[in-house]
Amino acid sequence: MAGQSDPHQSLFSAEEVEFIAEDEMVEIIPNLRMDALNFICGDFGPFFPQIATQVPLWLAVALKKRGKCTIRPPQWMSVEKLTQVLEAERDSQRMFEQLPFHYVEISRLLFDHARDDIPDVYMVRSLIEDIRDVRFHKVETNLETLTERAFALKINNLSAMEVNIVRPFVGRALQAFYKHDSLELIPDQERVSDRRPQVANNATRRHLRR
Amino acid sequence: MGKFYDMDDIITDEEVVSIVFEKAACGVGIDPSSETDSVEVGSKVELPFWLAHELQLRQAVSMNIPTCFNQKTRLEIQADSACVDLRSRCPFFYEFGCKIAPLVGVRTIGPLLLSAFKSRYKEVLTKAHTAAFPAASKHLTILTKEETNLYEAAQSSMTAFKRWRMGGPRFQRASVLGRKRKSTD
C-alpha cells in the first residue's frame, strides 16, 4: 500500500495504480433515463437512452454492473490501431509508441466488466499483451546501458503500470551507481579523461529515447 | 548519520580487518594465548572494522587491505565478474569497500568496485525480471547483500503485477476481522 515504511516495496501497489486509472473518461451508452448525478469530482448526466455520454471509468463500470449501460471501447482499442502500434514497437529499438498513460489498467478493467462490448475481444486482448511484452523487453534492454554517469533517467511514453514495475529497481540501481561513483572513491586522474565540454554536456542524463 | 540505525551498516562494521599496531597497548586482551595483557608495536592483529577505524583515528594502528580485496579477487573480477562468488568472500562487498577505501592508502578499490558492480548489474537485471522460479537460480547465492536488495525489489514488484493481472478480489478482508472471538461466559 502507499506510504508503507518498508522500503523494499514499491510506493504504489498495482491496485492503487488501477484506482487512479479509473478517473479516465470513457463513453457510455445508457439504456435508461436518469437525472444528472452530482459528485464531488463533477456532475455527469442527465442520461438519456441511446445518447452517448462521457463519464469516468469507475462510474461506467458501476453502471455496467447494474446493467444500465453499455461501454463504448476507446478509440485506441481497435484491432487496426493496436496492430499498427505493435508493428511500430517491434520496429524501433529505443522509442516507445504513444499510448494512453493507463492503457494497461483501462484494458484490464474493460475486459473484466465489458467483455461483450468490445468487438474481437480475444484479438484485442492478445494484441495488448504482445504490446506490453515488447515494451517491457525494450525497457529492460535499455536499462542494461545504465552506466555510472547516469544520475537521472528519462524514458518517454512509458505507461503508468510499466513505470510502477521498474520504479523500485531503477531507484535502487541509480542509488548504487551514484554511491560507487562518489568523488572520494574514484581518484581525480581517472575522471578528467571522461569529462566532456560543458556546452554539450548530456553526461548527467541518460536519455533512453533520442 | 542516516545509517546509524541501518542493520546492514552495523553488520558491515563487523567485518574483520588486519591491522598493524603502531603503538604499544597495555591492558588489552586481544590474544588470549599470549602471557601478558599488552600488545607490542608492530604486531599484526585481526580486529573488527569499527574498532580498527577508531584506533586509526587515534593513529594507534595502520590498516592493511582486507583479504576480500586482494589480488586474487581482483583477477577473478577482471576475468568474469558475473560468476565470482562475492558472497562467500564478503557478503557486504560493496559497502565494506566504500568504507575501507578512504582509510587504506590504495586508490584502486573504488574503480574495482565500480567495474564489478557494472558488469554484475546487467546479470541481476535480466535474471530478476524474468526468472520464473526465483529459488531455483544458482545465481542468487553469489550475490552480495546490496545486489540481493536490487534483485528482490524487482522480483517483488513483478510478482505483485502478475498477481494483479490474474484478477481476484479487489478488496481484501482485514486479518483482524477474520478471527472469531470466544465468548467469555
Side-chain angles (χ1 to χ4, degrees):
Chain A
M1 291 296 136
Q4 269 185 343
S5 55
D6 181 10
H8 284 256
Q9 311 233 347
S10 123
L11 202 51
F12 295 109
S13 71
E15 287 86 6
E16 282 160 0
V17 180
E18 185 191 35
F19 189 71
I20 296 173
E22 281 179 345
D23 272 339
E24 299 278 327
M25 303 296 266
V26 291
E27 215 169 48
I28 63 164
I29 303 176
N31 54 15
L32 49 65
R33 169 187 286 250
M34 198 156 58
D35 284 337
L37 295 170
N38 304 101
F39 295 116
I40 295 176
C41 62
D43 303 326
F44 308 109
F47 300 101
F48 301 106
Q50 315 307 328
I51 309 278
T53 336
Q54 291 264 340
V55 292
L57 188 53
W58 53 268
L59 183 56
V61 167
L63 287 177
K64 175 78 185 172
K65 271 195 194 155
R66 290 157 177 79
K68 296 196 191 303
C69 73
T70 61
I71 304 184
R72 192 184 283 173
Q75 295 286 351
W76 53 268
M77 215 155 141
S78 65
V79 177
E80 303 86 36
K81 284 256 172 67
L82 288 176
T83 329
Q84 259 178 357
V85 167
L86 185 58
E87 294 299 313
E89 289 279 351
R90 285 204 174 126
D91 286 337
S92 87
Q93 273 300 318
R94 303 185 74 112
M95 267 189 50
F96 291 91
E97 283 301 305
Q98 183 88 18
L99 270 178
F101 189 48
H102 293 280
Y103 78 94
V104 182
E105 301 90 83
I106 296 180
S107 58
R108 192 188 148 244
L109 277 170
L110 289 182
F111 290 140
D112 279 349
H113 301 288
R115 189 170 286 234
D116 41 348
D117 293 337
I118 306 173
D120 290 329
V121 60
Y122 293 114
M123 193 66 186
V124 170
R125 184 173 198 154
S126 77
L127 278 172
I128 290 194
E129 298 274 319
D130 288 341
I131 290 178
R132 207 165 41 75
D133 278 335
V134 170
R135 284 168 71 103
F136 195 69
H137 190 66
K138 242 196 259 185
V139 168
E140 270 184 22
T141 357
N142 285 330
L143 278 182
E144 279 177 15
T145 58
L146 260 191
T147 68
E148 68 269 17
R149 298 281 163 228
F151 295 145
L153 200 63
K154 179 173 163 167
I155 312 179
N156 290 324
N157 292 336
L158 209 57
S159 80
M161 190 53 84
E162 290 155 3
V163 166
N164 197 44
I165 294 178
V166 299
R167 185 184 290 128
F169 182 80
V170 169
R172 293 253 180 89
L174 283 176
Q175 257 179 356
F177 274 118
Y178 183 70
K179 188 173 73 160
H180 290 305
D181 196 31
S182 75
L183 199 53
E184 49 198 39
L185 286 187
I186 314 280
D188 279 326
Q189 304 88 283
E190 299 191 13
R191 268 182 187 271
V192 170
S193 56
D194 268 334
R195 203 171 298 158
R196 285 160 223 189
Q198 280 304 109
V199 177
N201 189 12
N202 273 332
T204 52
R205 253 207 196 171
R206 182 101 206 140
H207 284 261
L208 289 191
R209 171 186 175 246
R210 278 186 210 100
Chain B
M1 267 338 242
K3 290 191 156 194
F4 190 69
Y5 292 109
D6 183 17
M7 197 41 106
D8 286 341
D9 201 57
I10 296 174
I11 301 180
T12 311
D13 277 345
E14 272 293 313
E15 297 285 337
V16 283
V17 180
S18 89
I19 56 172
V20 175
F21 267 87
E22 306 281 336
K23 302 184 185 156
C26 304
V28 289
I30 293 184
D31 187 8
S33 59
S34 68
E35 311 89 38
T36 62
D37 261 351
S38 59
V39 187
E40 318 282 303
V41 176
S43 52
K44 233 170 135 197
V45 188
E46 302 247 328
L47 291 183
F49 174 75
W50 52 270
L51 187 54
H53 185 44
E54 290 299 316
L55 289 176
Q56 178 155 22
L57 286 179
R58 289 160 178 68
Q59 277 125 21
V61 302
S62 70
M63 264 200 242
N64 300 330
I65 302 185
T67 46
C68 47
F69 297 110
N70 63 4
Q71 196 58 24
K72 181 158 167 281
T73 318
R74 270 172 214 261
L75 288 174
E76 280 187 18
I77 288 183
Q78 269 169 359
D80 183 8
S81 51
C83 302
V84 177
D85 188 356
L86 283 184
R87 190 190 277 192
S88 63
R89 307 269 155 92
C90 172
F92 294 95
F93 192 72
Y94 299 106
E95 293 89 347
F96 193 42
C98 292
K99 285 183 197 247
I100 284 281
L103 301 174
V104 176
V106 184
R107 313 291 297 277
T108 50
I109 293 187
L112 168 71
L113 288 182
L114 184 58
S115 62
F117 184 66
K118 248 192 343 193
S119 22
R120 285 167 73 93
Y121 157 79
K122 287 206 190 74
E123 288 286 319
V124 174
L125 167 66
T126 47
K127 295 240 172 78
H129 282 275
T130 57
F133 300 108
S137 165
K138 192 173 72 83
H139 178 70
L140 269 186
T141 52
I142 66 175
L143 296 179
T144 72
K145 199 75 174 34
E146 186 175 345
E147 289 163 347
T148 320
N149 274 349
L150 265 184
Y151 185 91
E152 268 160 25
Q155 196 81 41
S156 64
S157 66
M158 204 59 194
T159 42
F161 170 69
K162 286 199 177 120
R163 200 169 357 122
W164 170 78
R165 206 162 54 88
M166 286 300 123
R170 271 185 68 179
F171 298 110
Q172 289 174 328
R173 208 180 155 85
S175 53
V176 182
L177 294 178
R179 287 184 221 130
K180 288 197 172 15
R181 287 208 202 166
K182 287 205 182 105
S183 61
T184 52
D185 46 32

